[in-house]
Amino acid sequence: TAGHVSNRPGRDIKVILPDGRQVSARTLGANYGIDSGLVKITEPGKWPHAELGDSSRLKLGQWCLVTGHPGGFDKGRTAPLRVGRILELSPGTIVTDCTLVGGDSGGPLFDADGHVIGINSRIGNELYANLHVPSNAFRDAWDRLARGDVWGGRRPNAPYIGVAADRRVEEAKIGEIIEGSPAEEAGLKVGDVIVSFGGKPTATFDALISAVARREPGDRVPLEIRRDGQTIRVEVVLTRYGE
């Protein structure tokens, strides 16, 4: 699916199948930089699926088809199909003139043989230029998505702590505190190393980013930090990015 659809990892959700059945699922990881996300059906069973295609073999001008459920699933309506062509190609984006409608996000882009070559991401500035995440972008990052990693940017309404990394070291060492941020309010300082967030170890700054992304604005989260050789425990109240 699209990263802005799966949103925060670790959420319990329902997936609606083409025949209207609803099954339990859980959101996994996301690369918000290209808007890719993964969802896992948690109920046992054999599920209908389409074969994943190879987006590296696509050509400009190639015919393609897009589908989705604008406005949400409607039992009395089949999913509309819209035909178009591939206009632009890059490792992170396919641009087509297949019309997308609000609610199509996360739906599949097919080649003429019925293989999924991309996932609908967003409507372009022009109706004839719409964006999709290539299928190979999911293949290449499958292990990271499956284990619930978050990277590449901030999700919609992302929780915010207000620290930047000291990238000279691997551990989650703070290189900058944003003025007025939850981190400043909690008394964190440049040079602090965040060793746990919400009771879970944060061995790297990327691990800290993933841990923050699993939370919601307004959450009160205990932190364990290392400062001048001493362990200090503080609590931070997350806000919404941009507030």
Side-chain angles (χ1 to χ4, degrees):
T1 191
H4 76 270
V5 173
S6 60
N7 205 295
R8 176 172 58 89
R11 295 188 303 126
D12 292 320
I13 61 170
K14 293 290 184 181
V15 169
I16 303 175
L17 301 180
D19 60 5
R21 283 184 295 159
Q22 295 191 22
V23 295
S24 297
R26 193 167 181 81
T27 57
L28 301 179
N31 177 355
Y32 296 120
I34 61 171
D35 199 27
S36 62
L38 207 61
V39 166
K40 180 180 180 179
I41 294 176
T42 53
E43 295 183 19
K46 293 183 178 181
W47 309 111
H49 62 278
E51 185 178 342
L52 202 61
D54 182 356
S55 57
S56 69
R57 302 178 65 181
L58 301 177
K59 305 293 183 184
L60 294 179
Q62 180 175 333
W63 290 102
C64 51
L65 303 93
V66 77
T67 188
H69 286 287
F73 180 80
D74 184 342
K75 192 166 74 170
R77 179 193 67 190
T78 57
L81 264 178
R82 307 179 200 103
V83 181
R85 297 164 301 152
I86 294 173
L87 305 180
E88 297 178 30
L89 289 167
S90 73
T93 306
I94 299 172
V95 179
T96 77
D97 58 4
C98 294
T99 303
L100 293 182
V101 181
D104 284 342
S105 295
L109 175 71
F110 292 104
D111 64 16
D113 295 316
H115 301 133
V116 178
I117 54 173
I119 293 295
N120 303 338
S121 173
R122 56 200 181 277
I123 301 169
N125 292 330
E126 305 290 344
L127 286 177
Y128 56 80
N130 298 290
L131 290 84
H132 319 262
V133 184
S135 57
N136 284 15
F138 289 87
R139 273 201 182 91
D140 295 344
W142 195 267
D143 289 343
R144 291 192 71 181
L145 293 170
R147 68 173 177 251
D149 286 358
V150 173
W151 74 100
R154 290 185 169 90
R155 68 176 172 87
N157 297 315
Y160 176 67
I161 185 174
V163 297
D166 181 344
R167 290 296 184 183
R168 296 172 298 179
V169 296
E170 288 191 9
E171 56 192 352
K173 187 175 183 179
I174 298 174
E176 181 184 0
I177 302 284
I178 308 303
E179 185 178 354
S181 67
E184 185 181 60
E185 293 290 327
L188 297 180
K189 298 180 179 180
V190 171
D192 287 348
V193 176
I194 301 176
V195 296
S196 76
F197 182 90
K200 295 185 177 180
T202 51
T204 65
F205 204 88
D206 287 342
L208 174 65
I209 291 172
S210 287
V212 173
R214 293 171 183 272
R215 295 286 183 155
E216 291 292 341
D219 283 356
R220 292 181 174 271
V221 185
L223 271 67
E224 194 173 88
I225 63 174
R226 190 173 71 244
R227 180 186 296 166
D228 299 327
Q230 295 185 324
T231 298
I232 302 173
R233 292 173 177 81
V234 300
E235 185 178 73
V236 63
V237 181
L238 304 182
T239 59
R240 183 174 285 104
Y241 180 70
E243 288 187 341

